[in-house]
Amino acid sequence: MRWFVSHRQTDGRLRWLLASSGTSNLADGIAKVAFPLLATKLTHDPVEIAALSAVQFLPWLLFAIPAGTLVDRIDRKKAMIAANAMRALVVAVVTALLTFGTMEIWTIYVASLLVGIAETVAESAANVLPPALVEADRLENANSKLQACEIVGQTFLGGPVGSATFAMFAVFPFLLSSVGFAVGAAVLLGMAGSYRPRQETKSHIRADFADGFRWLRRHSLLLRLLAIAGLLSLISELAQAQLVLYALEDLHLSDATFGAFAFVGGAGGLLGAGLTPRLVRRIGRRAVLVGGVLFCALGFGGMGLIRQPVVSAVLFGVFAAAVVAVNVVLATARHTLVPGELLGRVLGVWRTVVWGAIPLGALLGGLLTKLLGSAGDTFAASGLLLLFVTGYALFALRGHPLDDKTASTGDGVRSQQ
């Protein structure tokens, strides 16, 4: 049975989710900067440093699907609480080991892996909760706010706080991160209701995943959206992975001004999160999605052709705003098209494809820069390829406005007082 509640009640529950997401994203942003900084204090071996980056990314490739399947079987609020509590505990152990001087490089790998595994559960649960918290016509607002929490926590606050506090006292950022994860777990205790998927199942978790995968395979529109998301991720990363080289070698920025350049991207992303709901109401989801991919192409293509610091920073902000708008529309489309009890599994497959494209795109981007001679040329090539993705999106989504609000939303999840 679905419980109908007022906007004030749903907004109240959403605020608890946003408070938890914002706090845990801040803690995650601090940790993602602090772990590599700590690794450089223990080793200068480039292979060992690179291995840490791989370990931090690995959980999304290996555990996104199992995590999505898991959150389709248990209460999603409780899953977030448990995952954040685990992250708080792991980082607290790192804090203790560092305090007593017993930290070694392999313990950083293990801690990063455990934090990453817990992150797949926490983020999967957070991203499938909105349909149980708000009505269908408010999903864009909810997803935009979740995107804003991630951008503010990880880009604007997490990174700077992590690096600044590490410079002051190496233990400090880990202590802050542990407390942040603990607060993120505790805050959710205030969010009333039960959020267990409606279908009770005693089947094996592998069978649950197979059911979700079969459902996705038969849904042609969602597969087209997944193709757009995967291509956008792959081709954007061609250039994104070369951003530092582009800023330092093509724009001749200093290390300090590169930080300001990257900050503009975060500001653009925040602007995109704020504008997307209004744009969707005015021109519809399909137009925002296709237009977002187009502006991604224009942003990176312009950066590759112009190569002037101020103009390039603005264009990078345009790209960031556009990609966030695309992400908001894709998240809302998933919530609208996928039955509530399958959301976790579909999101798991989705993130495996989209996140799996990132390291491949980064590798290809490096090879492309080496072949073409400069990172700016790679940005130009990425922009050109994204124009083809825009054409594909326009073709693939013809006749699909993506604005059907009668599809499944929160009906597959119990939200009981």
Side-chain angles (χ1 to χ4, degrees), residues 281-314:
R281 286 194 294 271
R282 186 176 293 267
I283 63 177
R285 290 175 189 158
R286 177 176 175 270
V288 172
L289 176 58
V290 175
V293 179
L294 175 61
F295 274 96
C296 286
L298 296 177
F300 273 1
M303 289 172 68
L305 295 175
I306 298 173
R307 308 188 196 188
Q308 195 279 334
V310 175
V311 176
S312 291
V314 172

Side-chain angles (χ1 to χ4, degrees), residues 184-234:
V187 161
L188 283 173
L189 296 174
M191 189 171 75
S194 171
Y195 301 90
R196 182 184 295 273
R198 182 177 57 189
Q199 286 188 347
E200 302 292 341
T201 177
K202 295 182 179 179
S203 62
H204 193 278
I205 193 168
R206 186 181 302 171
D208 282 357
F209 164 68
D211 289 343
F213 186 77
R214 279 194 295 269
W215 184 92
L216 177 60
R217 190 175 59 186
R218 292 194 297 264
H219 201 296
S220 62
L221 175 56
L222 211 59
L223 287 176
R224 294 176 190 181
L225 293 174
L226 178 55
I228 293 168
L231 288 170
L232 178 61
S233 178
L234 175 70

Side-chain angles (χ1 to χ4, degrees), residues 18 26 67 165 173 221 272 344 362 375:
L18 294 175
L26 173 59
T165 53
L221 175 56

Side-chain angles (χ1 to χ4, degrees), residues 53-381:
S53 297
V55 166
Q56 288 181 317
F57 185 80
L58 194 60
W60 283 105
L61 289 179
L62 299 182
F63 297 102
I65 291 175
T69 306
L70 178 67
V71 300
D72 279 344
R73 296 169 66 95
I74 62 177
D75 188 302
R76 288 155 177 177
K77 181 181 79 172
K78 292 179 180 178
M80 281 190 70
I81 292 173
N84 280 327
M86 178 180 171
R87 289 196 281 185
L89 177 61
V90 171
V91 181
V93 170
V94 171
T95 306
L97 292 174
L98 192 55
T99 300
F100 292 106
T102 56
M103 178 64 68
E104 297 182 24
I105 189 67
W106 68 266
T107 56
I108 298 180
Y109 295 154
V110 173
S112 296
L113 184 63
L114 291 175
V115 168
I117 292 171
E119 181 186 8
T120 63
V121 176
E123 290 299 310
S124 295
N127 278 277
V128 298
L129 269 173
L133 301 179
V134 300
E135 300 300 327
D137 60 353
R138 297 166 71 84
L139 280 172
E140 258 91 22
N141 282 296
N143 287 317
S144 294
K145 289 173 181 176
L146 275 175
Q147 285 277 316
C149 284
E150 182 176 346
I151 293 166
V152 171
Q154 302 238 9
T155 303
F156 281 99
L157 296 179
V161 169
S163 57
T165 53
F166 188 88
M168 294 168 52
F169 183 41
V171 173
F172 198 14
F174 296 99
L175 179 62
L176 287 177
S177 180
S178 180
V179 171
F181 286 132
V183 171
V187 161
L188 283 173
L189 296 174
M191 189 171 75
S194 171
Y195 301 90
R196 182 184 295 273
R198 182 177 57 189
Q199 286 188 347
E200 302 292 341
T201 177
K202 295 182 179 179
S203 62
H204 193 278
I205 193 168
R206 186 181 302 171
D208 282 357
F209 164 68
D211 289 343
F213 186 77
R214 279 194 295 269
W215 184 92
L216 177 60
R217 190 175 59 186
R218 292 194 297 264
H219 201 296
S220 62
L221 175 56
L222 211 59
L223 287 176
R224 294 176 190 181
L225 293 174
L226 178 55
I228 293 168
L231 288 170
L232 178 61
S233 178
L234 175 70
I235 296 172
S236 296
E237 193 61 23
L238 293 176
Q240 190 95 324
Q242 302 298 303
L243 185 63
V244 173
L245 286 178
Y246 172 79
L248 299 182
E249 296 182 1
D250 289 79
L251 301 183
H252 307 292
L253 300 180
S254 66
D255 292 344
T257 50
F258 172 68
F261 186 90
F263 186 85
V264 173
L270 201 58
L271 179 65
L275 290 179
T276 301
R278 300 177 190 178
L279 289 173
V280 167
R281 286 194 294 271
R282 186 176 293 267
I283 63 177
R285 290 175 189 158
R286 177 176 175 270
V288 172
L289 176 58
V290 175
V293 179
L294 175 61
F295 274 96
C296 286
L298 296 177
F300 273 1
M303 289 172 68
L305 295 175
I306 298 173
R307 308 188 196 188
Q308 195 279 334
V310 175
V311 176
S312 291
V314 172
L315 289 170
F316 186 49
V318 168
F319 167 82
V323 81
V324 167
V326 171
N327 286 338
V328 169
V329 172
L330 289 172
T332 304
R334 285 197 308 268
H335 291 155
T336 305
L337 297 170
V338 183
E341 64 274 13
L342 291 173
L343 265 173
R345 280 163 279 183
V346 171
L347 180 63
V349 174
W350 189 286
R351 288 201 160 181
T352 299
V353 172
V354 174
W355 287 60
I358 292 175
L360 178 59
L363 175 62
L364 293 175
L367 295 173
L368 191 59
T369 297
K370 193 171 182 178
L371 177 66
L372 297 177
S374 76
D377 292 335
T378 299
F379 271 83

